[in-house]
Amino acid sequence: APKAQPFIANCAAEVFETDKDWCVRVLALEALGACGESALKYFPEFEAAVLDGDIDIRVAGFAAGCALLADIGLPEKEEVVAELAAFRSKFKHLAVEYLKRPVATEDEDARTRATAVRALGRLGAGEQSPMLERSLSDPASEVRRWAALVLGCATMVEQAAPEELRPRAAKLAMVAGTDLDTLVRRTAMLSLRKFHVYLGSCIEQVIQVLAKDTDNSVRAAVVEALSCAHYLPSAGMKMRDSVMVMALNDCSRLVMQKAIAVSNKISPDKKPEACKALCAIVFDDRGTSLAE
């Protein structure tokens, strides 16, 4: 109940500060993160959690802070608005400073870095996109995957200036074509769906992914990304349609399914090639069910 939140927040903060058991402290952070406006004055506890020596406490600290900010929404009281803005700003700073730390090995605190990246995404920290782009090169695939996902979320794309989106799209396309982890490549490619016209600057890289990647899910992601590419220059549209025809001739059922679903977007001058590929699918035993 809202009336009990100040009391619960005070108890949770005290338990977090005094208890020695890591599990109890994690539960105290979760309770603090669910206390709404009453927990805003306990930023020192969230900061202590993020800087704690125990990885589970650090992860819980970032998660609880994000849950708190998401739960509060838009307060009506001016003093609460100011307090919320201050908390949000300091929490962003905590996440950024954590990501600035040097990383020696792949396994060194990867979970905490991944949670910090997620925190920046949930907080809509568009001004921190350079830090997120830096995380695309993190030794841990978990961190790289979350960075690719956050950079392609709608809020981050909408907050970015037009001149920032072209190089960001190129960076994601490079990751989609070169990362050693399949999930990272697929996530980076799917993140390009939000870039629309800016896909034109990296469409050649995208085509290479379809032509060379050995994973079906990554090639299918190429089709999904290009199906969202709008307002491309004529040369870009021709290249996009060529990719769609390539996808219709792919050896993977998954890729063909994705291509069939968006084949209506292919421009008229490429329709004959697309129809030929669709006919081949219809009369091929492995593709008959797809065409149906």
Side-chain angles (χ1 to χ4, degrees):
K3 290 184 178 179
Q5 284 183 344
F7 174 75
I8 295 173
N10 183 63
C11 290
E14 185 175 346
V15 169
F16 173 75
E17 291 175 356
T18 59
D19 204 279
K20 303 298 182 185
D21 188 291
W22 72 268
C23 187
V24 174
R25 298 180 76 209
V26 166
L27 292 173
L29 284 169
E30 291 177 357
L32 195 57
C35 284
E37 298 173 5
S38 302
L40 289 175
K41 65 179 181 179
Y42 295 102
F43 179 80
E45 278 68 28
F46 289 96
E47 183 176 28
V50 168
L51 300 177
D52 196 90
D54 188 301
I55 185 171
D56 292 296
I57 301 294
R58 295 196 296 274
V59 170
F62 276 122
C66 285
L68 173 65
L69 291 170
D71 183 57
I72 292 177
L74 298 174
E76 297 180 358
K77 298 178 182 178
E78 290 186 11
E79 59 271 22
V80 179
V81 172
E83 197 174 5
L84 176 62
F87 188 103
R88 183 183 296 273
S89 176
K90 289 187 286 187
F91 199 71
K92 281 184 186 180
H93 180 72
L94 268 181
V96 170
E97 289 303 309
Y98 205 93
L99 291 173
K100 285 181 179 178
R101 294 181 174 191
V103 182
T105 65
E106 179 177 346
D107 296 326
E108 184 183 323
D109 209 18
R111 280 176 56 206
T112 310
R113 295 197 306 280
T115 309
V117 168
R118 290 168 59 190
L120 289 177
R122 293 186 67 177
L123 294 171
E127 72 280 4
Q128 298 300 338
S129 56
M131 178 57 63
L132 292 168
E133 289 179 19
R134 173 180 163 181
S135 295
L136 289 172
S137 302
D138 193 279
S141 60
E142 180 184 6
V143 180
R144 299 196 304 276
R145 179 162 50 87
W146 275 106
L149 182 65
V150 169
L151 283 167
C153 71
T155 304
M156 296 294 289
V157 174
E158 290 166 3
Q159 289 182 355
E163 60 270 16
E164 296 175 355
L165 291 176
R166 202 176 303 277
R168 188 184 302 177
K171 179 77 172 177
L172 286 168
M174 183 190 74
V175 170
T178 60
D179 200 279
L180 297 178
D181 187 273
T182 299
L183 284 176
V184 175
R185 297 198 307 277
R186 181 175 182 273
T187 303
M189 185 57 69
L190 289 176
S191 286
L192 287 170
R193 290 177 297 181
K194 302 293 185 190
F195 286 78
H196 304 305
V197 66
Y198 299 100
L199 265 175
S201 62
C202 57
I203 197 166
E204 291 184 8
Q205 292 170 274
V206 173
I207 291 174
Q208 288 300 311
V209 175
L210 181 65
K212 295 182 178 180
D213 203 291
T214 58
D215 188 88
N216 299 338
S217 66
V218 178
R219 298 199 307 280
V222 171
V223 178
E224 288 191 57
L226 288 178
S227 69
C228 298
H230 306 305
Y231 313 114
L232 294 176
S234 58
M237 291 299 290
K238 289 179 180 179
M239 293 179 72
R240 187 201 73 169
D241 292 343
S242 296
V243 172
M244 295 299 189
V245 174
M246 282 175 60
L248 286 170
N249 290 293
D250 198 271
C251 61
S252 162
R253 295 172 65 89
L254 175 63
V255 179
M256 284 194 296
Q257 282 177 324
K258 296 292 184 182
I260 290 170
V262 298
S263 58
N264 63 312
K265 297 184 178 182
I266 296 175
S267 57
D269 58 333
K270 279 289 182 180
K271 285 289 186 183
E273 291 181 56
C275 289
K276 182 178 178 180
L278 286 169
C279 288
I281 293 172
V282 170
F283 292 107
D284 187 341
D285 288 340
R286 80 186 159 89
T288 302
S289 62
L290 297 179
E292 291 171 355

